[in-house]
Amino acid sequence: MIRSATVNDIPEIRTMIRELAAYERAVEQARATEEQLREALFGAHPAAFALVAEDDETGEAAGYALWFPRFSTWTGTRGMHLEDLYVRPGARGGGHGRALLASLAALCRRHGYDRFEWWVLDWNEPAIGFYKSLGAELLDEWKVCRLSGGPLEELAAQAPASDV
């Protein structure tokens, strides 16, 4: 069963975020609090949206997907960015990941989104193989750029006076 997340799912989503971060060898970077997630997903101006995969037999959360809209200047249309896709180890192979992705693809079509994009770590061969089996194109020529911490602060300090 795939369903939209509710505010009652926040503690379980946070737990799964930390499980995903541990799998990706970066648990210390998963600092989001339940309060931050509640505001991001269910506040007055949601920053993101989430789906939950439930085990059909137990009703327990088997995984989740967290996404947000994006915009392409090239196509002039919105798209979807999948921030997290996670299926708990004991539930893998049960179709939950495919069901989450299919549900997101259906949301893309329903909203008229032309693109559905996400990142995958280059060492995560099981995920890469799974995504390729769905027909996903891996864009090797694009590199993710990130500013955070000190470098972000330093660049921000160089901003000219403006009304933004």
Side-chain angles (χ1 to χ4, degrees), residues 70-154:
R70 54 185 301 160
F71 180 78
S72 169
T73 57
W74 290 15
T75 66
T77 59
R78 288 184 180 220
M80 177 183 286
H81 177 80
L82 175 61
E83 181 67 13
D84 289 351
L85 175 69
Y86 178 69
V87 175
R88 288 185 154 143
R92 292 183 187 151
H96 301 292
R98 180 179 292 273
L100 283 163
L101 287 172
S103 296
L104 292 170
L107 277 172
C108 283
R109 301 309 331 139
R110 191 172 317 132
H111 292 296
Y113 296 169
D114 283 344
R115 291 182 178 168
F116 178 18
E117 299 176 327
W118 61 93
W119 302 338
V120 61
L121 291 168
D122 62 0
W123 56 259
N124 193 344
E125 291 298 326
I128 291 169
F130 172 58
Y131 298 146
K132 284 182 176 180
S133 78
L134 298 174
E137 175 186 7
L138 274 65
L139 304 175
D140 294 331
E141 66 272 15
W142 291 89
K143 299 292 182 194
V144 177
C145 298
R146 177 182 295 158
L147 278 175
S148 61
L152 177 62
E153 293 298 323
E154 290 172 21

